[in-house]
Amino acid sequence: MEQNENTPQNEQPQAGAGAADTTPSLEEMLKAAELKAQEHYDAWMYAKAEGENIRRRAAEDVSKAQKFAVERFSNEMLAVKDSLEAGMAVQTENIESFKSGMELTLKQLSSVFDKFNIKEINPVGEKLDPHKHQAIGMIDSDQPANTVVNVMQKGYSLNDRVLRPALVMVAKAKE
């Protein structure tokens, strides 16, 4: 018996071929995976570049903050300088007026220090603290040993951080 082209046997391979068309081939699956990998790579590169931009901007911000951090302090100090220059320009030789001008300028400077939390370290009578004081000598005294007897130069702190330790003389231990 001769088979006709329209026989069911001929249709089976076509049905099999139709089923193969709906399932993606290995090449198509590879292409899809490559596209997905490229998308992930592009997203990673974008995130990496964004991270570098954030880091660069932060470094620039820190640099600007450091550069201009003393601007407010500097503006306040200009008023003190102006007062000193005005005092030097006075032609009168009256010691009292000169002294009162210096006292006003010192008050102005103290006000600036208070605004910016700069505190004076004047430790007379205190126990020696090597974090705040620098002992430059020992002298005989009625005070207990290692007590600050004399301050040669006051120290200063900024927000509880020592800018300059106080130079002090301390009491010797009694023998």
Side-chain angles (χ1 to χ4, degrees):
M1 229 171 141
E2 223 178 274
Q3 290 186 352
N4 191 334
E5 285 183 359
N6 293 332
T7 62
Q9 290 176 350
N10 286 346
E11 288 180 12
Q12 285 177 354
Q14 288 176 350
D21 286 341
T22 59
T23 306
S25 68
L26 288 176
E27 288 176 1
E28 290 171 340
M29 289 172 57
L30 178 63
K31 286 270 189 215
E34 286 175 344
L35 285 173
K36 196 72 159 170
Q38 186 63 42
E39 285 177 27
H40 288 294
Y41 177 77
D42 291 344
W44 175 76
M45 287 299 290
Y46 177 80
K48 181 180 175 188
E50 186 65 22
E52 288 174 5
N53 287 340
I54 289 170
R55 191 174 14 263
R56 181 184 48 79
R57 278 188 228 114
E60 287 173 2
D61 290 346
V62 167
S63 175
K64 284 179 186 176
Q66 288 172 340
K67 189 174 182 180
F68 298 110
V70 296
E71 185 174 9
R72 278 185 47 224
F73 181 73
S74 299
N75 284 331
E76 295 290 333
M77 290 302 293
L78 290 176
V80 175
K81 184 179 186 295
D82 291 341
S83 293
L84 287 170
E85 287 175 346
M88 296 301 293
V90 172
Q91 296 297 321
T92 62
E93 295 181 17
N94 184 348
I95 297 293
E96 290 303 316
S97 67
F98 185 73
K99 186 177 178 186
S100 71
M102 293 299 286
E103 288 171 349
L104 287 173
T105 303
L106 182 59
K107 284 182 185 178
Q108 197 175 24
L109 182 61
S110 294
S111 169
V112 171
F113 281 14
D114 287 343
K115 271 186 187 177
F116 291 93
N117 206 22
I118 298 172
K119 303 290 184 210
E120 189 175 274
I121 300 172
N122 190 7
V124 173
E126 295 179 12
K127 193 82 170 156
L128 178 71
D129 180 351
H131 299 290
K132 296 181 191 176
H133 315 139
Q134 182 176 349
I136 58 172
M138 297 182 91
I139 58 175
D140 292 323
S141 173
D142 295 335
Q143 299 286 328
N146 292 327
T147 299
V148 175
V149 176
N150 194 5
V151 176
M152 309 306 283
Q153 184 181 56
K154 294 176 186 174
Y156 291 91
S157 65
L158 172 65
N159 296 319
D160 298 324
R161 181 178 175 185
V162 176
L163 290 173
R164 180 179 81 189
L167 296 179
V168 300
M169 299 292 281
V170 295
K172 277 187 189 179
K174 294 181 183 175
E175 293 178 17

